[in-house]
Amino acid sequence: MRPGADGRDDVALLRSVAGGDEEALAALYDRHAGWLTVRLTRRCARPDVVDHAVQDTFLAVWRDANAYRGDGDVAAFLWGIGIRRLIDAIRRDSGTKRWRPWRSTEPEVVVSAENQVLVGIEHGHLGQALAELSPELRAALQATVLDGLTCAEAAILLGVAEGTVKSRCHRARAALRTALADQPRALTHLPRNQAWETP
Amino acid sequence: MTRIFDPPEPVAGANRHPSADLLAGYADRGIDEVVAWSVEAHVASCAECRTTVSAHVDGERLARNRSVLLALTAIPDGGWGWRLAWRCGIPDHLLRLVAATSSLRRSWLLAVVGVLTVVTGEAVLVHHLWPPGGVSPHGASAAGLAPFLLFGPLLVLAGVAGAFVPALDPSYRLAVAAPFSSLTLLLVRALSALVAALVPVVCAAFVIPGPVWLPAALLLPSLAVCALALAAVTAVGPVRAVVVSGVLWAVPVVLLALGRSPLETVQSHGQAFCAVVLVVAAGVVFIRRDRLEMGWAR
């Protein structure tokens, strides 16, 4: 490996990848493949499908690194490709063939307001309301709201019909509204959580 | 549901990090879903915590994916033919693996053409140089055809073997690591190799001095020998399977050639026998396809 290849920042690495630098791709992979694998595994429990999605993600970066417009976090850019590659991998794995454009354009992913709200969500009323949702409803909410997927994409990820995703999201929203309106329940006595620490 | 809530605790900002336990729980799916959402939202925007999370992933798995990735980048895009196949819905990873089959490489195909040129040349020479009025009117050119009859199906078999014998396959590890049915991959590669080898063999059969039905007559034996090898792979190792089916073809051809009637291997009785072998072998492959799924990767 070239000395200092790891020292370059993500944007510089992406630029080198666009120039056909394999070492930069390897460095980018070493830096981001781990957490991407973890994050995708939380959406899909099958390691083979996740591995394929991770490979596809970096392969897409290799072939079209210019898709990165130079604004925004590289990790968010990779995640935006990764989640859609995962859906592609699931779709392929389940045998559904679809026509895809020769170079599929990846939608730009920005750090959303939801993400800001989510940090520390388990400490709030919304956190408890979410915890009380059934896992299916939470998964539907995660796919559509957090991951920003369309209902069709979420349906592939969750392995259910598109209509089911819509109805689950609807039910989840209704349940959250009810739970949040029900203040006394949200304020029940709970133990302190020391899990978050200051550096 | 066991949940830990702490409403008075301030929401963690950019200057606060989840504890190592929490990050480990996130990586190992050990923590509650809602806590995980929170941790994930932080990890998404914190390079430091991403590094911590990454450390929880199996290093061997990451290294394997890395080598697959780098191998895939090293394989160039095939030209328009590749794009056409891709457009038709064939996944690109499959195309890349097919393109990486050693028996579909230019050097391999050149070798096939080389062997065919030699055996065809031999047959042509024998046809022209054999003293007229020999043993039988047909015997002369028929005897010259023996090497071609021997090598034609064997070349096709060698091409198919290139699709599944690990020793012949530089992309073997890649194929094993590829996260999809190895049976599909094996069959697609074998079929591509079969077609790629059959085309020059059949073309040579047109050129060679012999009966007009010779090109068509070679199809069934070639298919039967390859199907036999695939069927044998479900029971024995790939190398042994190829050698056994190759020998099973070579022995009758050589014996009949010594008996001065090599063409009998591809005449009615030979064809019928090949058809039976093909059907039986295809049946074995179908019934024992589960063994093939893992078997060829030994």
Side-chain angles (χ1 to χ4, degrees):
Chain A
M1 189 172 285
R2 183 190 306 169
D6 272 345
R8 290 180 281 178
D9 73 347
D10 288 340
V11 178
L13 282 178
L14 263 186
R15 250 184 236 123
S16 302
V17 170
D21 182 356
E22 271 191 42
E23 285 170 12
L25 182 74
L28 202 67
Y29 175 88
D30 290 339
R31 199 177 294 171
H32 292 286
W35 68 264
L36 191 62
T37 305
V38 168
R39 206 169 165 185
L40 291 177
T41 303
R42 293 200 72 91
R43 270 82 180 167
C44 174
R46 293 187 45 196
D48 54 336
V49 175
V50 170
D51 283 354
H52 197 187
V54 170
Q55 292 161 15
D56 268 4
T57 304
F58 287 94
L59 205 57
V61 170
W62 171 253
R63 280 193 233 143
D64 206 6
N66 291 320
Y68 179 70
R69 278 172 236 154
D71 48 350
D73 191 16
V74 171
F77 168 73
L78 290 174
W79 171 246
I81 301 174
I83 182 73
R84 279 171 176 85
R85 289 293 174 227
L86 179 70
I87 289 163
D88 269 0
I90 294 171
R91 186 188 286 156
R92 263 200 304 266
D93 194 67
S94 57
T96 331
K97 296 270 191 305
R98 290 215 192 159
W99 288 79
R100 286 171 297 164
W102 169 237
R103 292 222 187 278
S104 55
T105 47
E106 310 292 346
E108 192 85 348
V109 172
V110 293
V111 180
S112 61
E114 291 97 318
N115 256 24
Q116 298 302 311
V117 170
L118 274 172
V119 177
I121 190 173
E122 71 273 21
H123 306 303
H125 301 158
L126 187 58
Q128 192 180 15
L130 281 171
E132 283 169 2
L133 285 182
S134 73
E136 304 90 60
L137 297 192
R138 236 185 357 244
L141 215 55
Q142 179 181 37
T144 53
V145 178
L146 299 190
D147 296 342
L149 302 178
T150 64
C151 281
E153 288 171 329
I156 293 164
L157 182 65
L158 302 174
V160 296
E162 200 176 329
T164 315
V165 174
K166 282 179 185 162
S167 75
R168 280 183 188 171
C169 286
H170 182 75
R171 272 160 55 208
R173 277 194 296 270
L176 285 182
R177 265 197 298 272
T178 316
L180 288 173
D182 190 9
Q183 284 299 323
R185 270 183 67 202
L187 288 170
T188 45
H189 172 75
L190 288 158
R192 281 183 73 82
N193 178 15
Q194 302 295 337
W196 289 69
E197 61 194 17
T198 42
Chain B
M1 190 177 287
T2 53
R3 287 287 313 107
I4 308 161
F5 289 115
D6 194 6
E9 188 81 8
V11 169
N15 56 338
R16 290 165 55 81
H17 298 281
S19 67
D21 287 350
L22 213 49
L23 288 175
Y26 170 70
D28 309 335
R29 306 184 64 137
I31 52 169
D32 219 75
E33 197 69 18
V34 179
V35 182
W37 284 18
S38 174
V39 172
E40 185 165 279
H42 172 82
V43 167
S45 56
C46 174
E48 200 179 313
C49 290
R50 278 203 297 269
T51 312
T52 315
V53 166
S54 297
H56 288 281
V57 183
D58 178 19
E60 206 172 296
R61 178 183 178 188
L62 284 179
R64 196 186 60 219
N65 281 344
R66 189 184 198 265
S67 59
V68 172
L69 169 73
L70 293 181
L72 287 177
T73 58
I75 302 170
D77 282 10
W80 59 270
W82 193 82
R83 266 170 214 220
L84 185 73
W86 196 89
R87 281 267 184 195
C88 292
I90 301 169
D92 55 351
H93 54 270
L94 198 58
L95 282 175
R96 280 161 188 279
L97 285 169
V98 167
T101 307
S102 53
S103 46
L104 291 174
R105 295 256 175 82
R106 190 171 298 155
S107 52
W108 182 296
L109 294 176
L110 280 177
V112 168
V113 171
V115 173
L116 284 173
T117 310
V118 170
V119 293
T120 310
E122 184 267 352
V124 171
L125 278 180
V126 169
H127 181 69
H128 287 296
L129 298 183
W130 200 273
V135 190
S136 74
H138 219 70
S141 59
L145 281 175
F148 177 73
L149 288 175
L150 175 64
F151 283 110
L154 287 186
L155 282 175
V156 179
L157 175 67
V160 172
F164 67 81
V165 176
L168 295 176
D169 187 3
S171 56
Y172 161 74
R173 283 181 188 287
L174 195 64
V176 172
F180 49 87
S181 162
S182 50
L183 177 66
T184 313
L185 178 66
L186 168 63
L187 293 182
V188 168
R189 293 176 95 183
L191 202 65
S192 321
L194 180 79
V195 172
L198 257 182
V199 169
V201 168
V202 170
C203 286
F206 275 110
V207 177
I208 214 159
V212 281
W213 44 263
L214 189 59
L218 276 174
L219 287 176
L220 209 49
S222 303
L223 287 175
V225 169
C226 295
L228 187 64
L230 278 181
V233 169
T234 63
V236 296
V239 176
R240 203 172 290 175
V242 172
V243 170
V244 164
S245 43
V247 167
L248 282 180
W249 170 253
V251 167
V253 173
V254 170
L255 286 180
L256 286 169
L258 291 177
R260 291 199 172 262
S261 51
L263 275 174
E264 261 178 40
T265 30
V266 291
Q267 274 165 334
S268 54
H269 286 95
Q271 292 288 346
F273 185 70
C274 286
V276 171
V277 169
L278 177 62
V279 169
V280 171
V284 169
V285 169
F286 180 75
I287 293 165
R288 294 169 67 97
R289 60 187 184 279
D290 293 345
R291 291 291 301 275
L292 212 54
E293 185 85 50
M294 296 311 296
W296 72 283
R298 275 178 301 201

